[in-house]
Amino acid sequence: MREIILGIESSCDDTSAAVIADGILLSNVIASQSVHEAYGGVVPELASRMHQHNIVPTVSEALRQAGITPSDLSAIAYTRGPGLLGSLHVGTSFAKGMAIGLDIPLIDVNHLHGHVLSHFVKETENDATPEFPYLCLLVSGGNSQIVLVNSPYEMEILGQTIDDAAGEAFDKCAKVLGLPYPGGPHIDRLAKDGDSKKFKFSRPHLSGLDYSFSGLKTSFLYTLRDALKEDPDFIEKNKADLCASLQATVVRILLDKLELAVRQTGVKHVAIGGGVSANSAVRDAVDNLCSRLGVKAWIPARKFTTDNAAMVAMAGWFKYKNKEYSDLSLPPFARTSI
C-alpha cells in the first residue's frame, strides 16, 4: 500500500499544497499573493485572509494533479511554524480539520526543517539526494544559518545571524533603491549589469560561524545618504553598480563562514536552501567553493527554494516513516530555530 502524504504550507504569503507518494513528488501547487506589492512588504492581516481564500482550491488542485482522492491519503503534514501567526493558523486549522475528517495521522513540520530537507524532494526514482552528514546554508528573508544535518531527525545549528538575515538585507536595501517587493530578485537582475567592485560596504568581523548583516545595511544607507547630498540622481545613475556591490558583499559574508564550517566539520556534501538560495550569485559562489574544496554541492531547483509544500510533505514523509505524529492540541508558533 502506497504511503501518500499531503503537505500544506502557509507560513507567510504563499498558500501551497503538495502530494508525495512513497517519497516521490506527484504535485506541488502554489498560490502567490500579489496584494502585498503595493505595501513594500507582507501585511500579516491581508496574508491570513488570502490564505483563507486560497487554501481549499489549492489543496483540491494538488490532489487533482496527483490523481488521488482524500481517501487515498496516509497522513497530512503542515507547517506549524515559524512564520506569521495568522497565516499559520489557517493552514494548521485546515490540516487538523481534514485529518480529523479522514481519521488519519497529523504531522507538524518545522518550516526550517522543510528548507533543509528540500533536497530530498524527488520527482523521479533516479533523482540523487545528499548523503548524511551534510552542511546546509539556510538563507532566507528571516533566517541565515549554517546547519549540520546528521539525519532527517538530527540537526545542529553551527552558526546563525545575530541580527538581520541575508534576505532581509536585500529587501530593505532594495526598498531604499526604489525597487519593488520582494527586492532580492530585482537586485539579482540588476547586478548582472553592474560593477561589483565599484562600492565598498562594511563586512562584519565576528568570530566563529555566526552572521551579522546590520552593519552592511547601515553602511549601504550611509553611502547613499552622503552621495545624495552631492548628487540627487546618484541612485538612478548607479543602481546597477550598487546592486552588484551589495550582492557581492552579501555573498562574501555568507561564503566566508560556510568555508570555515566545511573545514571545521570535514563534511563532503554541502547544500543551500531558502529563498535567497535562488540568487544566481549565491548559487554560483557555492558551486565554485565546493569545487575548490573538493566537496559535493547541492543546489536546489529554484521552484523548491521559495516557500512550498513539497518540502513540507517531504519533511512530513520522514516523520511519518518514523511514526512521529502530531497532537491535535498543538498550536502554531511564530518563532523558533532548527
Side-chain angles (χ1 to χ4, degrees):
M1 184 176 179
R2 292 199 300 174
E3 297 173 336
I4 304 177
I5 309 297
L6 169 67
I8 295 175
E9 155 64 18
S10 68
S11 64
C12 191
D13 61 333
D14 287 338
T15 310
S16 184
V19 176
I20 282 181
D22 296 330
I24 306 298
L25 183 66
L26 301 184
S27 66
N28 186 35
V29 178
I30 302 174
S32 298
Q33 301 178 9
S34 60
V35 66
H36 307 284
E37 293 176 3
Y39 300 94
V42 176
V43 181
E45 177 62 24
L46 293 179
S48 59
R49 292 183 183 185
M50 288 304 298
H51 282 302
Q52 289 178 316
H53 177 77
N54 290 332
I55 194 163
V56 171
T58 301
V59 170
S60 297
E61 180 61 15
L63 295 174
R64 187 195 67 80
Q65 289 187 16
I68 66 168
T69 65
S71 61
D72 296 320
L73 294 174
S74 304
I76 298 174
Y78 71 98
T79 299
R80 186 179 164 214
L84 300 176
L85 204 54
S87 297
L88 290 165
H89 268 298
V90 176
T92 298
S93 299
F94 185 91
K96 288 180 178 180
M98 192 171 183
I100 290 171
L102 295 172
D103 193 25
I104 57 177
L106 184 68
I107 301 170
D108 67 300
V109 171
N110 184 313
H111 179 79
L112 304 182
H113 286 191
H115 278 304
V116 171
L117 296 173
S118 63
H119 298 274
F120 291 89
V121 176
K122 299 174 66 173
E123 297 182 274
T124 71
E125 288 281 359
N126 297 323
D127 290 351
T129 56
E131 295 179 8
F132 297 107
Y134 68 92
L135 283 178
C136 182
L137 174 62
L138 176 56
V139 276
S140 66
N143 298 278
S144 293
Q145 299 178 340
I146 298 176
V147 183
L148 177 62
V149 188
N150 292 305
S151 78
Y153 321 104
E154 184 186 350
M155 304 180 191
E156 177 187 357
I157 296 175
L158 302 183
Q160 61 186 327
T161 181
I162 63 172
D163 41 56
D164 299 328
E168 186 178 4
F170 276 141
D171 286 340
K172 289 185 176 179
C173 291
K175 188 173 183 178
V176 176
L177 294 176
L179 299 175
Y181 176 84
H186 296 284
I187 287 177
D188 192 11
R189 172 178 55 82
L190 290 169
K192 292 178 172 62
D193 298 320
D195 179 0
S196 63
K197 299 180 180 179
K198 185 169 183 178
F199 299 102
K200 299 295 184 182
F201 302 121
S202 295
R203 288 165 52 187
H205 298 284
L206 295 176
S207 60
L209 297 175
D210 284 339
Y211 286 115
S212 171
F213 291 95
S214 62
L216 166 61
K217 264 189 349 184
T218 301
S219 173
F220 184 84
L221 293 175
Y222 280 174
T223 297
L224 295 187
R225 183 199 63 181
D226 295 342
L228 287 170
K229 290 178 181 178
E230 303 294 330
D231 182 2
D233 297 322
F234 174 80
I235 290 178
E236 290 306 314
K237 292 177 181 177
N238 297 277
K239 189 170 288 187
D241 294 334
L242 286 165
C243 289
S245 299
L246 171 67
Q247 181 169 267
T249 306
V250 170
V251 170
R252 189 69 269 150
I253 293 171
L254 291 172
L255 269 290
D256 283 349
K257 298 292 188 175
L258 182 61
E259 179 173 355
L260 179 60
V262 173
R263 295 187 183 280
Q264 287 183 353
T265 60
V267 298
K268 298 301 180 184
H269 291 252
V270 173
I272 55 174
V276 179
S277 67
N279 179 279
S280 59
V282 171
R283 297 165 76 87
D284 290 344
V286 170
D287 198 28
N288 292 336
L289 173 67
C290 290
S291 294
R292 178 164 59 85
L293 298 179
V295 300
K296 172 69 174 176
W298 295 90
I299 313 295
R302 281 188 167 85
K303 61 184 176 181
F304 297 134
T305 58
T306 54
D307 295 345
N308 66 91
M311 66 182 193
V312 176
M314 190 71 251
W317 185 75
F318 279 120
K319 296 185 77 171
Y320 179 80
K321 299 284 287 183
N322 211 35
K323 293 184 170 56
E324 295 183 32
Y325 305 144
S326 173
D327 190 284
L328 288 169
S329 66
L330 293 178
F333 53 83
R335 293 182 180 275
T336 190
S337 62
I338 289 291

